[in-house]
């Protein structure tokens, strides 16, 4: 298995990332029910009933070397969501940060910014990645705004890229941050975390 898939824990002030575990099931079920995120047609957030299968799916992808899944904990130690390194390309030192969702109670807080700062820092400074990607549905404006606030650049739109669970075609907006851009992005994310909300 590639070092890009090696399990790691990351800790900040607003959030903690732990390797995904079946032991996190109950907390993840509660988190996904906060805001009924699975009802958003343009996302793939699991239902409480489907959470065990989603954990199993992500852990299988980890075993295959293509994903490193995390459970996200908030500052109080409560499970708040999931995120991953995915589409891991060890040869070209690239990862995508995705399959991310958070309970409504932590949205628009410092949690997402800090999670992205920790994941990007680990990707660029420990794993020596040359680029980190972010992908989302073209019509998921909330996700696109959040990715753009990180400082990621839009690489383009993959038209009719995938078929969604409901049968509709998904146009995928692809963003990235490169290693050369990382020092400036790191300063920007640290500033975002420090400024008053």
């Amino acid at each position: 298995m590639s070092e890009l898939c090696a399990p790691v824990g990351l800790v900040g002030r607003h959030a903690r990332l732990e390797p995904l575990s079946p032991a996190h099931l109950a907390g993840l079920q509660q988190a996904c029910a906060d805001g009924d995120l699975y009802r958003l047609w343009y996302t793939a957030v699991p239902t409480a009933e489907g959470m065990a299968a989603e954990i199993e799916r992500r852990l299988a992808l980890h075993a295959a070397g293509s994903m490193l899944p995390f459970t996200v904990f908030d500052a109080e130690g409560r499970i708040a969501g999931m995120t991953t390194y995915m589409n891991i390309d060890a040869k070209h030192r690239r990862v995508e940060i995705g399959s991310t969702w958070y309970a409504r109670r932590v949205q628009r807080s410092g949690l997402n910014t800090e999670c992205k700062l920790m994941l990007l820092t680990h990707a660029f400074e420990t794993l020596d990645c040359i680029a980190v990607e972010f992908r989302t549905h073209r019509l998921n404006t909330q996700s696109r705004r959040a990715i753009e606030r990180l400082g990621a650049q839009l690489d383009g739109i993959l038209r009719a890229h995938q078929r969604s669970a409901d049968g509709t075609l998904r146009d995928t907006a692809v963003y990235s941050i490169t290693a050369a851009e990382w020092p400036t992005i790191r300063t920007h994310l640290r500033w975002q975390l420090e400024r008053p909300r």
Side-chain angles (χ1 to χ4, degrees):
M1 183 180 293
S2 160
E3 66 180 299
L4 275 65
C5 283
V8 62
L10 303 170
V11 180
R13 289 182 319 181
H14 304 282
R16 182 176 86 248
L17 301 177
E18 288 186 12
L20 178 64
S21 164
H24 301 151
L25 174 61
L28 288 166
Q29 288 173 322
Q30 291 174 355
C32 79
D34 179 8
D36 292 336
L37 303 175
Y38 58 88
R39 294 186 187 277
L40 299 174
W41 71 271
Y42 48 77
T43 67
V45 177
T47 63
E49 296 77 24
M51 189 61 69
E54 178 62 8
I55 292 170
E56 186 176 312
R57 183 188 76 83
R58 291 187 189 210
L59 292 178
L61 289 169
H62 176 250
S66 65
M67 180 182 275
L68 179 56
F70 297 93
T71 300
V72 180
F73 292 78
D74 65 19
E76 288 75 43
R78 293 174 59 199
I79 290 178
M82 302 171 97
T83 193
T84 73
Y85 286 143
M86 56 192 284
N87 297 319
I88 293 171
D89 182 346
K91 179 180 178 182
H92 298 290
R93 313 298 296 182
R94 295 178 68 96
V95 298
E96 176 187 341
I97 296 173
S99 291
T100 302
W101 60 266
Y102 301 117
R104 178 178 287 166
R105 65 184 167 78
V106 297
Q107 292 176 13
R108 295 186 177 87
S109 72
L111 180 134
N112 180 53
T113 302
E114 187 168 64
C115 285
K116 295 304 188 288
L117 176 60
M118 291 188 292
L119 289 166
L120 288 163
T121 299
H122 185 69
F124 286 118
E125 298 177 19
T126 302
L127 301 179
D128 197 31
C129 288
I130 62 171
V132 175
E133 283 186 8
F134 303 86
R135 295 182 177 211
T136 192
H137 195 297
R138 180 179 63 84
L139 298 177
N140 188 344
T141 54
Q142 181 178 345
S143 177
R144 291 186 68 179
R145 282 194 307 268
I147 292 168
E148 289 166 1
R149 277 194 304 273
L150 298 174
Q153 295 293 312
L154 179 66
D155 295 326
I157 306 289
L158 301 176
R159 293 168 50 87
H161 177 232
Q162 296 174 331
R163 193 165 294 281
S164 299
D166 67 359
T168 59
L169 290 173
R170 166 180 152 149
D171 291 345
T172 300
V174 182
Y175 293 82
S176 68
I177 295 171
T178 66
E181 295 166 337
W182 170 237
T184 301
I185 299 294
R186 180 181 56 211
T187 297
H188 172 66
L189 293 177
R190 288 175 176 168
W191 174 79
Q192 283 190 327
L193 281 171
E194 295 302 322
R195 68 190 177 95
R197 292 195 173 266

